[in-house]
Amino acid sequence: MTPTALSQSRTDLFRPRHHLTPESTWMNDPNGLIRHAGRWHAFYQNNPLGSDHANLSWAHAVSDDLVTWAHQPLALSFTEEEQIFSGSVVHDEQNSSGLAEPGAPGPLVALYTSAYTDAHPTLAGIQAQSIAFSTDGGTTWTHHRDNPVLDRGSRNFRDPKVFWHGESGRWVMVAVEAVDQQLLIHTSEDLLTWELTSVFTHPEIDGGIWECPDLLRVPVRSEVAGTDAEGWVLVLSTNPGGPAGGSGTYALIGDFDGERFTAQASPQPLDLGPDCYAAVSFSGVDGDPVLLGWMNNWEYVNRTPTSPWRSSLTLARTLRLVASTDGSLEVHQHLVVPDRIATVDLSEVAAADSPVVLDATEPFILRGILPAHASWTLVLRFGDPAKPHDLVLSSDPERGVVLDRSAAHAEPFAVEHARSLPYLPDPGREDLTIDLVVDRSCVEVELDGGRALISQQIFHGASEVGVTLTPIA
Ligand code: FRU
């Protein structure tokens, strides 16, 4: 086998089956997520010409189930004068924008950041918000003739996420002044003219620039029967300064009155691992919001050993608030796991005398309940015994539960980000649920009924894995 053929086959072994990846090019943030006409649409930051962060455009994929994705034609392309940065899509059902013909069904409207290049005659270096619309369900897009629709003359104003706020009868846009670490809230009646209503800052999120905000209306599940409440969660990404180092995402529980967001608790990690960035929700979903993140980290994305494709999105995750009897709220998230993947119960692993061997080229999930405050070690040993690559989930009563990928790679990879943040179960809890999904290079763990998620990439290239659990007492 020639070296090229070898590296090509390794890269193919890294490609997950149930996570969205670009066919042969670069990917970063999910953009324009929307459930429309019964299908899930994901757009994403893409370089249609290469494997690096350049020529930014919106690629497009659709899915019926959030785990099998079909690529569509490029939706929005860069030009010499303009990069198409991150943003969102809404269904303008009432045609408030007038962008569809009178009487025709309302259009899909994309709000994205125009990052103007030095070649632009009047706006070089500026980032402003622009519009494109689609009247054929998202396949083809037309740029609005009066772009940009919101320009503050800023060089770092970006990532508009728009939603309809029924109580005030207005569209709401959250976007960031990235370098100033500010969230700007604008409102509009027609998606075309925007008014600034408030600026939100937070002293505890100061480790880097702010990017890709989302403001979620979230149902509250309560232990008190009959309550039918909802709360608000601001999801915000920062680079660096993420919870697990490098770029990462926070969640802030709070309140929103149509104009102003107020935080009611300290920021918490949306994910305890290093590989969940720019997470945002699908428009067009009632009930629990559904989110996708970029499953990578700006600190080492250019060193991820896949070629020519680079990066994937996370599995989808639903988010909800759960109220305890004292009234405090917790963020819970659940992975959307494919129905048809191999499932192994951890009790089977614990009872086995030898490692439980699985096909590592196919996605699988390890599921079970382990003691919340005991020492145990779950080892996933990839490859042949002479040259194993270990991914380790371990629990220690003092230090909590940690996912460690330091020995999981064929070549050293992102050593400074090998371990997730620890998860410490509540002292009163006896059992800890574990759902650990491995889809080739993508590993996601849901802990403790959804109280914590960990996302990590691993690059071993092995086709077999042996799973052991020791000791369980
Ligand atoms: C976040 C980000 C966004 C920007 C896009 C450019 O990863 O930097 O703020 O819109 O990527 O690709």
Side-chain angles (χ1 to χ4, degrees):
M1 213 189 257
T2 64
T4 324
L6 184 69
S7 76
Q8 183 59 40
S9 68
R10 275 197 51 218
T11 228
D12 287 347
L13 277 177
F14 296 149
R15 190 194 285 278
R17 291 192 188 280
H18 294 309
H19 292 68
L20 177 57
T21 55
E23 252 162 332
S24 57
T25 54
W26 165 276
M27 158 193 271
N28 62 293
D29 318 347
N31 295 152
L33 305 180
I34 185 164
R35 180 165 171 79
H36 181 64
R39 304 195 88 186
W40 302 93
H41 293 255
F43 302 82
Y44 57 88
Q45 287 284 278
N46 174 239
N47 174 359
L49 306 180
S51 310
D52 57 344
H53 186 236
N55 306 322
L56 292 154
S57 304
W58 281 24
H60 182 198
V62 295
S63 174
D64 291 327
D65 59 4
L66 289 167
V67 292
T68 311
W69 292 95
H71 292 287
Q72 306 294 302
L74 194 71
L76 300 172
S77 175
F78 75 99
T79 64
E80 202 195 327
E81 295 179 357
E82 183 190 19
Q83 305 267 317
I84 312 287
F85 273 18
S86 289
S88 51
V89 167
V90 291
H91 181 204
D92 180 15
E93 219 170 327
Q94 305 301 325
N95 196 18
S96 66
S97 60
L99 292 169
E101 295 296 326
L108 292 181
V109 178
L111 291 108
Y112 62 88
T113 299
S114 297
Y116 296 105
T117 69
D118 290 345
H120 196 280
T122 54
L123 295 169
I126 296 295
Q127 295 185 354
Q129 314 324 318
S130 291
I131 275 184
F133 61 98
S134 171
T135 52
D136 62 5
T139 306
T140 57
W141 294 84
T142 307
H143 294 272
H144 184 45
R145 61 172 190 279
D146 295 331
N147 281 335
V149 294
L150 179 56
D151 176 13
R152 312 176 78 230
S154 166
R155 305 176 82 82
N156 295 289
F157 175 40
R158 58 179 181 264
D159 305 342
K161 181 75 167 86
V162 174
F163 62 93
W164 175 252
H165 187 256
E167 296 89 328
S168 58
R170 293 177 79 87
W171 297 99
V172 176
M173 175 201 291
V174 289
V176 288
E177 274 294 348
V179 174
D180 297 340
Q181 300 178 333
Q182 291 178 338
L183 177 85
L184 271 52
I185 301 185
H186 288 79
T187 64
S188 172
E189 281 173 6
D190 59 5
L191 294 165
L192 304 172
T193 313
W194 293 92
E195 186 189 332
L196 181 66
T197 59
S198 64
V199 178
F200 173 83
T201 59
H202 200 290
E204 287 176 73
I205 309 182
D206 67 347
I209 55 171
W210 287 16
E211 297 189 316
C212 299
D214 194 0
L215 188 49
L216 313 173
R217 184 194 289 270
V218 187
V220 177
R221 305 293 198 288
S222 174
E223 288 165 15
V224 186
T227 48
D228 178 23
E230 60 180 26
W232 291 84
V233 175
L234 174 64
V235 174
L236 183 65
S237 289
T238 104
N239 177 29
S247 55
T249 309
Y250 289 92
L252 281 116
I253 298 174
D255 199 18
F256 179 63
D257 64 4
E259 297 192 342
R260 189 172 295 277
F261 175 75
T262 335
Q264 290 171 336
S266 282
Q268 52 186 289
L270 189 77
D271 198 290
L272 300 177
D275 288 318
C276 177
Y277 194 61
V280 286
S281 65
F282 281 86
S283 184
V285 172
D286 291 330
D288 296 351
V290 180
L291 289 84
L292 288 174
W294 178 45
M295 196 155 176
N296 217 319
N297 192 309
W298 280 113
E299 205 140 301
Y300 50 72
V301 56
N302 290 311
R303 287 181 272 137
T304 50
T306 65
S307 168
W309 63 279
R310 178 154 286 151
S311 293
S312 70
L313 299 186
T314 62
L315 282 181
R317 45 175 73 193
T318 58
L319 188 148
R320 62 178 62 159
L321 288 168
V322 177
S324 51
T325 32
D326 70 3
S328 62
L329 295 176
E330 283 181 350
V331 172
H332 286 204
Q333 297 174 83
H334 295 289
L335 296 173
V336 177
V337 177
D339 293 338
R340 298 171 307 273
I341 71 172
T343 305
V344 176
D345 202 290
L346 290 175
S347 57
E348 189 188 317
V349 179
D353 298 332
S354 52
V356 172
V357 176
L358 301 167
D359 178 358
T361 68
E362 290 296 329
F364 62 90
I365 180 165
L366 304 176
R367 277 206 158 119
I369 300 175
L370 295 181
H373 301 284
S375 295
W376 47 258
T377 309
L378 178 66
V379 177
L380 283 74
R381 177 157 289 190
F382 294 92
D384 76 81
K387 201 168 175 268
H389 305 302
D390 288 354
L391 176 70
V392 181
L393 184 74
S394 65
S395 164
D396 172 297
E398 259 104 64
R399 289 196 298 272
V401 180
V402 169
L403 184 65
D404 186 338
R405 65 177 174 188
S406 49
H409 310 286
E411 279 96 37
F413 173 73
V415 278
E416 65 286 16
H417 299 286
R419 291 160 62 83
S420 70
L421 288 180
Y423 175 67
L424 286 156
D426 192 272
R429 207 175 311 286
E430 282 184 15
D431 294 336
L432 181 80
T433 63
I434 296 180
D435 293 270
L436 190 157
V437 182
V438 180
D439 183 6
R440 297 184 166 188
S441 59
C442 294
V443 179
E444 277 135 309
V445 190
E446 180 182 319
L447 292 171
D448 205 4
R451 288 179 181 81
L453 291 190
I454 308 174
S455 302
Q456 273 190 359
Q457 300 176 85
I458 52 170
F459 300 103
H460 50 76
S463 53
E464 223 176 59
V465 57
V467 187
T468 52
L469 177 59
T470 53
I472 173 164

